[in-house]
Amino acid sequence: MVDRIKFVVDNADLSDEILNEKFFKSRPNKEGTIVYTYKNNHIEEDINEDETDDDKVILKSRYSKYLYVQYVQYKISKRLPNVDYNVKNKLIIHRNIRKDWFGNGRLADLGYKSFVKKINSYAEEFQIDNKRLWNARVTKIELGVTLRLPIKMNGILSCFNSFSGLTEKNIYGKDGVSFIGNNFSVSFYDKIEKMDKNNELFIKSKNKRKLKDKVTKNNYFLRFELKVEKVSGFYNKNFDDKINHLSKIRDNWNYLLYSVGNLYQQIKYIDVVSPEVMDLIKGEEKKPMDNLLKFQGIKSITPDVFFEELLPQMKKEKQSKFKKEYREFYNDYERKFRHGFKEEFRAKLDEKIDSLLRSS
C-alpha cells in the first residue's frame, strides 16, 4: 500500500561510528548546521544545506531530484514547524520503500508485514531506538494499489470525469489522469507504461518489447494512488491523525486500506463504454458504432423526452412501429451498460484490498 514516504526521526542521535561508516559529511553552513548524506544515494557534487522546514528542498544541487536519506545536525537545538520540543538533530528518510523492498520492475504492493520489516530495518541499520523510529513524523506519503484488469478495460481512464470537491484535472495522454487538491492528488495511471518510460521494465532483458507485448496482451495494470505532498496540510476526515506518524500508519493499516478504496466513491464516473459494448465495436465497421452513438443520444436526451416528446413528432402511421423498435434497441443497450467498467473496477479494487488485508 505504501510507496514513497518521507519521515523525520527527531533527535535520532546517530553515533559517530554510523555517521563515519554510512554518510558523507558536508561543511557547516553559516548557522553551523551540518548535513550528512547517506552514501548509497550520493552524487558527486558539493552539498550545502539551507533549510527552514522539512518540506523545503534541502539540497541546492542535482541531488535534490532523487530520493534520499540525510542526517541533519544543528549547532544549537531549535524548534521546527509542527513540533513542540527542541530538536538538536534529525534523520530524514525519503524513499520509495516498496521498491526498496521488492526492487525495481515489480508490480507487487507492499503488505503490512513487509512495511513493518522495512521500517524496522532502518532502526537496525542506523542503530536507532525502535520506539523512537516508529514515532517519526511523516511529512509526505503515497498510498495506493496496482490492479490487474482485463485488457478490455484499457479505456477506463476516459470514464473518470471529476473528483468531489476538486476542480483541477490533469490528463496525461491516454496513460493517466490526476485530480489535484491542496497538498494532495488522486491519480489513476497505466503502471506498465510508466515503468517503461522510467526504464524499470524488464531491465536485464534484451527482449523488453516482446516481453511487454506478452504481458499486456490480455492484461491492463492500473495504478490507483493518493499522493500527499504535505501531511500537515492535508485535511480529510478518513485520514486525519492516521498518517502523521509511522506508528499511526502501522496501527491503522487496515483502516487506511479501506479509506484509500473509499476514495473511489468520490469519483464522478461516466461509463462511456462498458466492456460488453467495447466487444461489440472492436474491429467492426460502421453499424455498431452508429448504434452506440444512437444509444448515447437517447440517453443524453433522456428516454422520457425521447419517447414522449420526440417520437410523437415522427410519421403518425408508423409511430407504433418506431416506438417498438427504438424501445427494444434502447433496452438491449441499457442492459449492456448495467454492468460496466465502474462495477468491474470496484470489484477488482475490493478484491485487491481484501488480499492486502489477508497479508497483514
Side-chain angles (χ1 to χ4, degrees), residues 297-309 327 330:
I298 296 173
K299 189 177 179 181
S300 64
I301 295 169
T302 73
D304 288 344
V305 171
F306 179 77
F307 288 105
E308 295 175 16
E309 298 184 26
R327 177 59 72 182
Y330 182 82

Side-chain angles (χ1 to χ4, degrees), residues 6 35 55 61 68 100 107 121 125 129 167 180 185 216 221 234 278 289 295-297 305 313 319 356:
K6 181 180 179 182
V35 176
D55 293 302
S61 70
Y68 55 84
D100 285 350
L107 292 166
S121 74
E125 179 173 9
D129 176 74
T167 58
I180 302 171
S185 62
T216 57
F221 293 92
F234 174 55
M278 181 69 83
M289 184 63 75
F295 170 76
Q296 292 286 15
V305 171
Q313 307 304 315
Q319 279 185 24
L356 288 173

